[in-house]
Amino acid sequence: MTSPTRPVMAAFNADQAPTYDDRFAQMSAIRDMMHLVARAEFARLPADARILVAGAGTGAEVRTLAAVFPEMRFTLIDPSGPMLDVARTHAETEGFASRCSFHIGYVEDVDETGFDGATSLLVSHFLIDAAGRTAYFRSIAGRLVPGAPLFNADLCADRSDTGFPRLLETWLNMTALTGMTAEGRAHYANAFGQDFAVHGPSQLEGMLENAGFTRPVQCFQAGLVRGWMAAKR
């Protein structure tokens, strides 16, 4: 049985990982904007800051940050070994592997603490259970120094809002650019509450506060993706 804090992601296996980034290339502008937020926030950290990258996947944000901050160090954590293999290959090819450590597993499995900042990009929405999602954020907070920033971004919307159907329609039109079929888009529309969490923005903000962060400030939105900055209390 899958733990509410340890989801199994079949989409991130050895068959899917090598082409994961290519599949979403048409929506790379959203990724780039998230990375811009991270760059702006982390610019105030010490030059040799240690960054916890939760659910690192292929390490996209690390590739951006490592190029801009040449002394910054990164701990990449992800339950998918194949995804981390892609991240490691990028790091070796682009010359920053010596500043990275790679951990297959979950944040709670890593004993390191004292991180100066953290990212969690498009990760926590896979945790359907509210308690499990809060515990995930708490596991990040517990490894940060006080005041350390967290940039969190997830699929998130208030489904009770009268504008939600129109927002979802726009988002599905955007996903069509990736080659997603009509059948795939219909499945995606029904995924909230099954594959993705249904917690609205105010609920997610409450989870972050309950996990040990300051009141989150929403700083980003593109379609169904919203981003917040918060700091370890």
Side-chain angles (χ1 to χ4, degrees):
M1 182 175 181
T2 301
S3 164
T5 61
R6 291 173 173 260
V8 175
M9 314 294 184
F12 305 138
N13 60 26
D15 293 331
Q16 302 292 330
T19 61
Y20 180 82
D21 291 329
D22 292 338
R23 294 203 310 274
F24 297 99
Q26 292 297 327
M27 298 179 75
S28 62
I30 296 176
R31 175 202 65 200
D32 294 343
M33 284 300 298
M34 290 192 294
H35 295 175
L36 179 61
V37 172
R39 283 177 54 188
E41 286 296 320
F42 292 171
R44 63 185 175 84
L45 296 177
D48 60 349
R50 296 171 59 231
I51 306 299
L52 173 66
V53 186
T58 61
E61 65 262 49
V62 179
R63 297 173 70 186
T64 295
L65 294 171
V68 177
F69 305 113
E71 296 179 54
M72 196 168 277
R73 293 168 292 164
F74 307 91
T75 295
L76 293 77
I77 307 169
D78 198 280
S80 170
M83 293 288 275
L84 278 185
D85 286 342
V86 175
R88 184 181 290 104
T89 297
H90 286 314
E92 292 170 348
T93 301
E94 295 167 28
F96 59 88
S98 63
R99 293 188 280 136
C100 296
S101 62
F102 302 87
H103 300 267
I104 300 174
Y106 297 83
V107 175
E108 63 204 66
D109 300 325
V110 175
D111 294 331
E112 292 181 65
T113 59
F115 289 97
D116 301 295
T119 62
S120 175
L121 303 185
L122 307 181
V123 178
S124 86
H125 57 227
F126 290 113
L127 296 167
I128 308 299
D129 178 76
R133 199 171 188 182
T134 302
Y136 164 75
F137 290 133
R138 188 174 294 117
S139 71
I140 296 175
R143 285 158 179 78
L144 302 179
V145 298
L150 165 69
F151 178 39
N152 177 77
D154 283 306
L155 293 171
C156 183
D158 181 357
R159 296 193 303 168
S160 67
D161 189 283
T162 56
F164 174 73
R166 186 66 183 89
L167 177 61
L168 179 61
E169 180 183 0
T170 299
W171 181 253
L172 292 176
N173 289 339
M174 293 167 68
T175 62
L177 299 176
T178 69
M180 187 180 291
T181 64
E183 181 182 1
R185 294 196 298 277
H187 173 78
Y188 197 105
N190 294 320
F192 291 89
Q194 300 180 55
D195 299 328
F196 309 125
V198 297
H199 310 117
S202 62
Q203 292 174 295
L204 190 144
E205 290 167 9
M207 292 175 194
L208 284 165
E209 287 193 83
N210 290 336
F213 289 97
T214 58
R215 181 179 180 275
V217 176
Q218 185 178 327
C219 57
F220 174 83
Q221 181 172 0
L224 289 182
V225 178
R226 298 175 188 247
W228 290 264
M229 289 304 309
K232 164 71 175 293
R233 281 202 302 270

